[in-house]
Amino acid sequence: MWFLLRIVIGGIFIFSGLGKLLSPYQNFLYVIQSYQLLPSWGEVLVAQIFPWIELLVGAFVLLGLWTPWALRGGLVLFSTFVVVVGQALIRGLPLEDCGCFGGLIHFKPQTVIIMDSACILLTSLLIRSISLTRKFSLDSYFDRV
């Protein structure tokens, strides 16, 4: 079960990062601009770097490499998503789509809050049970070598 949860969490980040990377970065930039949180230079920076961060965190979680740190990174990302989407909802910003998965899948912001909150819970469980989470991981392989 722990192995499968780790695969799901890592897969979400990989899918999300790839969804943004396969499109021109301007598409994700437009999404970031719709949240009205950052100065323009920050929006460009986030649009160019954030998909790579998601992809790397996802790969590390999926492979089980530096698993505790990768999961903590995932926890920070999921928490950030909840805060960013939540503030947009509170402010009444007209968002049709969260932009979480680039153009691959479209979710309403309310759905994303629920999904990311569930992912926070699951990631926290994985961190809490790190010895079980590390089974079938590169970490466990390197521990034996």
Side-chain angles (χ1 to χ4, degrees):
M1 175 178 114
W2 301 108
F3 170 72
L4 291 176
L5 280 178
R6 195 182 83 228
I7 299 304
V8 167
I9 296 296
I12 289 170
F13 284 118
I14 290 172
F15 189 70
S16 178
L18 282 177
K20 293 173 187 117
L21 288 170
L22 293 175
S23 301
Y25 94 94
Q26 290 87 350
N27 294 2
F28 186 46
L29 176 61
Y30 176 74
V31 169
I32 292 169
Q33 290 169 336
S34 67
Y35 284 94
Q36 302 174 9
L37 275 176
L38 300 170
S40 59
W41 64 267
E43 292 169 341
V44 171
L45 186 66
V46 168
Q48 292 176 337
I49 294 174
F50 203 77
W52 291 103
I53 293 171
E54 287 180 307
L55 187 65
L56 285 173
V57 167
F60 277 60
V61 170
L62 184 77
L63 296 171
L65 184 60
W66 297 332
T67 308
W69 293 105
L71 287 169
R72 286 182 184 109
L75 195 59
V76 167
L77 291 175
F78 284 130
S79 299
T80 301
F81 301 153
V82 168
V83 169
V84 169
V85 175
Q87 69 79 33
L89 290 172
I90 290 169
R91 292 172 52 205
L93 296 178
L95 300 176
E96 297 291 320
D97 176 24
C98 68
C100 303
F101 295 98
L104 299 176
I105 299 176
H106 302 282
F107 288 115
K108 291 190 177 283
Q110 297 86 343
T111 305
V112 169
I113 295 280
I114 295 167
M115 184 180 84
D116 286 344
S117 296
C119 288
I120 288 170
L121 177 64
L122 294 175
T123 304
S124 298
L125 289 172
L126 288 171
I127 292 169
R128 188 166 188 170
S129 304
I130 198 65
S131 61
L132 296 171
T133 302
R134 292 180 76 205
K135 287 188 179 184
F136 307 111
S137 70
L138 287 178
D139 285 343
S140 66
Y141 171 78
F142 289 127
D143 286 346
R144 290 182 293 203
V145 175

